[in-house]
Amino acid sequence: MPSAATPRPRRSPTVATSRERKAPPVLVRQLRDGIEESVHRGDIVESDAMGRLIRALGDPDRLVTLRSTVKPFGAVALLEAGGAEAFDLAPDEIAVLASSHSGEDIHVRTLQGIFRRSGVSQSVLACGSEGSPLDVLTASRLARDGEKAGPIRHMCSGQHSVFLLLSRLSGWSQDDYWHPEHPSQVAYRSAVARAFGTTPERLRTAIDGCGVETFAFPLREVARAYAFLADPTAVPATDSRSAMAAPLARVRDAMLANPEMVAGRHDRLDTSVMKATPGRTVSKAGMEALRGVAILAGPRTGTQYAGASGLAVKIEDGDGYDRATWAASVEALRQAGVLDGQALRVLARYHRPTSLDPHGRVGAEAVAAFELVPVGELIG
């Protein structure tokens, strides 16, 4: 295996921008007493598992890095290897392996339980601890007690645990599991490629913030993959993806049943959306304002389409405040007929995020202002 210092060939930075792009449409406007202070542009795609577009706004071919939206698909590698049986993984444990958790005690205890049973040391985690924990209350408590957050509280420690468990299961080295050439990375990469209907050799890769590879796809492919997650049985037996339908369904069901493991208990839209639509959606955010939502089949409001689909939302500017990705994601789900009534009321603070002044008064609000274009509502 090459050493960590072995340079990897890198693509020219001009490649990703070689296709001329028009400015994406405005999705969210930041208003202060009716005055438009700023706007957030972006692209939205809804697709079925075969790649047929249902709704779209902006550029479906916008190239994005998956970041943490990859995690449900990568977790399949461990299940395919027999890891769930070998380590007696419960649904909440499978869910945390596919998560971007908030670093709360519930997440830490769950991962530590897996490590104890598998004989893996959490000291081997190489995801770092920058920015962890995400949960404000937990971070405040740690600071009060003079405790420094370790890598296990990092949002990607669940994903990194997949690599460690694969290594433990197969007898591979653990100290260097994060190297791209490591067998655990090869297995993870293979699962991702197959979920997206391609081969590992054709994957476009980059380095993620937690030190392992991420992968780049057009936004329409992200939506298609999440439609596959919504209904892994939707692809025909002749489709290469069909071989991973059973383990992917197991990941989906674990996430559906444990929304607080997927993100966290406070201020996490993914968890809140899944709790507001029980058994209906799997929502998974990635950094730089990308979100994938697997929408299971079922009746919708204001549309004839009732099949499974995937929704992909990308905010152009990366949305450092979360307000745009929150507002756009909830509004897109509303227009897709997935959210209405009580569910929409429960998500009101995400649908129209506000900025408060020191006295608790609303100073500004982010307002979603777009219309998704139906391009295939009668797909059956």
Side-chain angles (χ1 to χ4, degrees):
M1 184 180 299
S3 70
T6 302
R8 301 184 64 220
R10 306 292 295 172
R11 293 176 183 260
S12 165
T14 61
V15 173
T17 56
S18 60
R19 187 174 68 86
E20 185 176 347
R21 274 175 36 82
K22 297 179 180 178
V26 172
L27 299 183
V28 178
R29 302 179 186 278
Q30 179 74 357
L31 303 178
R32 188 171 296 274
D33 198 16
I35 302 168
E36 183 178 280
E37 290 193 310
S38 58
V39 299
H40 298 275
R41 298 177 179 271
D43 306 285
I44 303 175
V45 182
E46 185 184 7
S47 167
D48 72 3
M50 298 309 294
R52 292 171 293 197
L53 297 191
I54 301 167
R55 292 174 183 81
L57 181 63
D59 184 4
D61 294 312
R62 162 62 154 113
L63 186 68
V64 297
T65 50
L66 296 180
R67 306 298 296 271
S68 288
T69 63
V70 75
K71 293 174 180 177
F73 309 104
V76 168
L78 180 62
L79 301 191
E80 289 181 321
E85 292 73 27
F87 303 125
D88 193 24
L89 298 178
D92 62 328
E93 295 172 326
I94 294 174
V96 84
L97 297 178
S99 77
S100 294
H101 63 75
S102 291
E104 300 169 59
D105 290 350
I106 187 173
H107 305 122
V108 171
R109 287 195 298 267
T110 301
L111 286 169
Q112 287 175 334
I114 298 172
F115 290 159
R116 281 194 298 271
R117 288 200 308 277
S118 63
V120 171
S121 172
Q122 70 183 58
S123 66
V124 189
L125 281 168
C127 52
S129 57
E130 182 179 0
S132 59
L134 292 179
D135 183 62
V136 174
L137 294 177
T138 302
S140 297
R141 191 195 78 223
L142 295 180
R144 181 199 66 200
D145 296 343
E147 181 181 344
K148 183 179 180 181
I152 198 167
R153 291 195 186 271
H154 191 278
M155 72 176 79
C156 295
S157 62
Q159 178 190 26
H160 281 242
S161 298
V162 172
F163 304 126
L164 288 170
L165 292 171
L166 277 168
S167 299
R168 175 65 173 170
L169 186 65
S170 300
W172 301 326
S173 61
Q174 295 179 29
D175 291 341
D176 56 350
Y177 75 82
W178 52 274
H179 291 190
E181 302 85 0
H182 193 276
S184 66
Q185 297 292 323
V186 173
Y188 199 93
R189 196 158 52 236
S190 173
V192 173
R194 285 181 285 120
F196 280 79
T198 187
T199 61
E201 296 76 20
R202 299 182 66 184
L203 288 173
R204 178 74 185 274
T205 65
I207 299 175
D208 207 340
C210 63
V212 295
E213 284 186 327
T214 188
F215 312 94
F217 287 96
L219 199 62
R220 65 165 73 230
E221 294 297 323
V222 180
R224 185 181 77 142
Y226 269 81
F228 180 40
L229 176 62
D231 185 3
T233 66
V235 300
T238 54
D239 191 308
S240 61
R241 294 175 292 169
S242 64
M244 64 190 311
L248 186 62
R250 193 170 180 180
V251 172
R252 176 203 63 192
D253 292 346
M255 298 174 78
L256 284 171
N258 298 277
E260 291 183 343
M261 286 297 178
V262 175
R265 295 180 294 180
H266 310 114
D267 295 321
R268 297 299 303 275
L269 177 59
D270 288 332
T271 293
S272 295
V273 164
M274 294 171 68
K275 291 178 73 172
T277 57
R280 188 69 191 281
T281 62
V282 173
S283 180
K284 187 71 199 67
M287 292 296 288
E288 297 301 324
L290 176 67
R291 173 167 280 104
V293 184
I295 304 170
L296 278 67
R300 304 192 189 190
T301 302
T303 174
Q304 299 180 53
Y305 185 76
S309 69
L311 183 73
V313 179
K314 170 65 177 176
I315 302 299
E316 181 78 0
D317 60 22
D319 190 27
Y321 292 97
D322 278 336
R323 65 193 183 203
T325 187
W326 283 358
S329 296
V330 174
E331 177 63 15
L333 287 167
R334 186 193 71 80
Q335 292 190 31
V338 180
L339 292 176
D340 65 358
Q342 179 61 21
L344 198 58
R345 288 190 287 273
V346 167
L347 297 170
R349 69 190 185 91
Y350 298 106
H351 194 193
R352 201 155 175 155
T354 58
S355 301
L356 305 180
D357 76 354
H359 310 289
R361 298 175 298 183
V362 174
E365 55 186 353
V367 180
F370 61 86
E371 183 176 354
L372 281 178
V373 179
V375 293
E377 286 201 338
L378 299 183
I379 291 175

